[in-house]
Amino acid sequence: MKSPSQIRVVIGFRLEPDQAGLLAERAARLGVSPHELARHYVVESLLAAEGLAAVGNAVGIVHQQMQQLNKDLALAVEALLASAGRVSEKQARDWVKTMLNRN
């Protein structure tokens, strides 16, 4: 006996005539039936959505890391400018805020 996750499901949907024509045209060029091509597109979209979610998460992590890197850079530059003795701590802080867009 098949488990629920092994049972194949039939999905049906309607397309507008112009969309159905486009699907039939593309399927003919590829040498497959419109049904096979539609199934391929649905499965491909489902898998792509998972991939996009992973990319979105990765971009979020990189964004957080870049924000932290910017903060660390601003602090390091401020410390270097102030410790060099040619500018005051306030001047160093102001320069960093202006040049590195740090609030």
Side-chain angles (χ1 to χ4, degrees):
M1 179 174 216
K2 291 185 178 182
S3 71
S5 64
Q6 294 176 322
I7 298 173
R8 296 178 78 175
V9 177
V10 175
I11 304 289
F13 53 89
R14 297 185 190 281
L15 295 174
E16 296 296 324
D18 59 330
Q19 296 167 339
L22 183 59
L23 180 66
E25 183 181 300
R26 287 185 185 173
R29 273 189 277 149
L30 295 170
V32 298
S33 72
H35 171 81
E36 288 174 295
L37 186 57
R39 181 169 20 98
H40 171 77
Y41 284 159
V42 169
V43 171
E44 188 177 76
S45 293
L46 291 170
L47 297 176
E50 290 177 10
L52 287 176
V55 169
N57 288 337
V59 168
I61 291 168
V62 169
H63 179 70
Q64 289 174 343
Q65 291 173 340
M66 290 297 296
Q67 286 180 319
Q68 186 60 49
L69 183 61
N70 189 42
K71 289 177 185 177
D72 294 344
L73 175 64
L75 182 61
V77 169
E78 187 177 321
L80 286 171
L81 288 172
S83 68
R86 296 194 172 216
V87 296
S88 69
E89 287 182 24
K90 182 184 180 327
Q91 288 172 317
R93 191 173 306 109
D94 290 345
W95 186 90
V96 166
K97 284 180 182 179
T98 301
M99 301 308 288
L100 299 179
N101 297 320
R102 183 171 180 231
N103 295 327

